[in-house]
Amino acid sequence: MVALLSACSRLTVFPLEGLTVAYTTRSSDSRGLGDVAIVGVVEPDSATGDHMWRLAASMYTNPPPSQAQARWILTQCTRARTVRAPTYRDLPDAKWTGDLTREFHLDALFANHTCLRTGRITIE
């Protein structure tokens, strides 16, 4: 799955182990529930969404299932949105473009998300 998506929405931008990551939500239908998490690497330019998945895997002693990796990524995003640290930025009306290379469906609702889409995000 490769998708290019452009939008204007709330972005939470935060550092994560040498990466700068942006998180936002979209809705899978007209109800506007924000059930699709979009998480992308902003910096460095050489990093991709796969870097986040490898980082998530490195947090476990045994290779974790993809479900655990997805939940770890989502936990970092919701933590960043909730905690107001000086290095975190909340951009309420950011224009962005996502080059999304992975779509992962969670086996159950987690942090109000049913789907996680990852890749790179460029903030305009």
Side-chain angles (χ1 to χ4, degrees):
M1 183 223 93
V2 176
L4 194 61
L5 177 65
S6 293
C8 180
S9 63
R10 178 184 181 191
L11 274 183
T12 300
V13 182
F14 59 98
L16 183 63
E17 298 292 328
L19 303 174
T20 300
V21 175
Y23 161 67
T24 191
T25 61
R26 305 296 291 169
S27 296
S28 61
D29 59 28
S30 61
R31 294 177 294 168
L33 298 176
D35 55 319
V36 178
I38 297 176
V39 184
V41 175
V42 178
E43 294 176 342
D45 290 340
S46 60
T48 66
D50 290 339
H51 285 81
M52 287 184 296
W53 288 91
R54 285 194 296 275
L55 178 60
S58 75
M59 297 297 148
Y60 298 86
T61 54
N62 295 315
S66 296
Q67 291 289 330
Q69 290 172 271
R71 287 190 290 272
W72 185 87
I73 292 169
L74 288 171
T75 297
Q76 304 316 304
C77 294
T78 55
R79 173 190 52 80
R81 187 161 275 188
T82 304
V83 175
R84 296 285 184 228
T87 56
Y88 299 177
R89 292 182 292 158
D90 191 42
L91 309 173
D93 296 307
K95 291 181 182 176
W96 56 272
T97 300
D99 184 6
L100 307 175
T101 55
R102 186 169 182 177
E103 180 174 278
F104 186 82
H105 292 272
L106 295 142
D107 58 6
L109 189 67
F110 185 83
N112 200 45
H113 298 302
T114 58
C115 179
L116 171 61
R117 297 178 74 184
T118 59
R120 287 196 54 81
I121 288 182
T122 303
I123 303 170
E124 297 176 23

